[in-house]
Amino acid sequence: MKKCSVFFMSLILMAFLLSFQLFAQAPDTLDVPDRIDGVALGAINKFIHGDTTATGERNNPNRVYRLDREKIYFVNDAIRNHDFHLTMIAAKPADPANPSRPPVVMSGILEDGSLFPIFHWAGGDLTIKGIYYYSFRPDAPGNQWGNG
């Protein structure tokens, strides 16, 4: 009987520890703003790169970043994901019968008039779903500057 009790107590303890570990690593979804402090240029970079603890570790390495439909996200540098899996998805349309434009990621015009030519600098896995990448200058739509 005592062996049976020890076995069941060990089983319960292992289940508790396993569930705690799974909960700590569970993915969550975070909505990405298209502006920070009223500024659109680089808001997506600042938001994703700034999602860290005080020691520089990712708040949640399994986090999913959700971009709003009908919004444009202007990058001012490559979105970097070294040592973590970056997942970016489009928000679901509010009304499936009335589809809306997917979110768009494109380079913003920098202070010197140039554009940053790289959207992502992937040092880890990268998953993108339902997001458009626009490789034309925002001020001259017919002028392609890079590969989307």
Side-chain angles (χ1 to χ4, degrees), residues 23-141:
F23 177 74
Q25 296 299 318
D28 64 352
T29 303
L30 199 57
D31 291 319
V32 178
D34 65 329
R35 296 174 183 275
I36 294 179
D37 297 327
V39 178
L41 182 62
I44 187 171
N45 303 78
K46 187 175 184 178
F47 190 79
I48 292 173
H49 295 163
D51 188 22
T52 58
T53 65
T55 61
E57 300 294 318
R58 301 301 303 170
N59 280 321
N60 183 346
N62 297 320
R63 181 155 284 159
V64 175
Y65 296 95
R66 181 172 46 210
L67 281 62
D68 288 334
R69 293 183 161 276
E70 302 288 336
K71 300 236 174 126
I72 298 174
Y73 294 84
F74 292 104
V75 297
N76 63 347
D77 193 356
I79 300 170
R80 300 170 195 278
N81 67 305
H82 298 287
D83 302 326
F84 73 99
H85 183 151
L86 175 60
T87 302
M88 295 173 29
I89 63 169
K92 294 193 187 276
D95 178 9
N98 187 14
S100 54
R101 186 188 77 212
V104 175
V105 174
M106 66 186 302
S107 183
I109 300 171
L110 304 176
E111 288 182 21
D112 64 0
S114 67
L115 301 170
F116 199 80
I118 302 170
F119 290 117
H120 293 279
W121 197 271
D125 292 332
L126 179 63
T127 302
I128 301 168
K129 184 176 179 184
I131 299 170
Y132 283 180
Y133 282 78
Y134 191 75
S135 62
F136 291 87
R137 286 187 64 94
D139 59 346

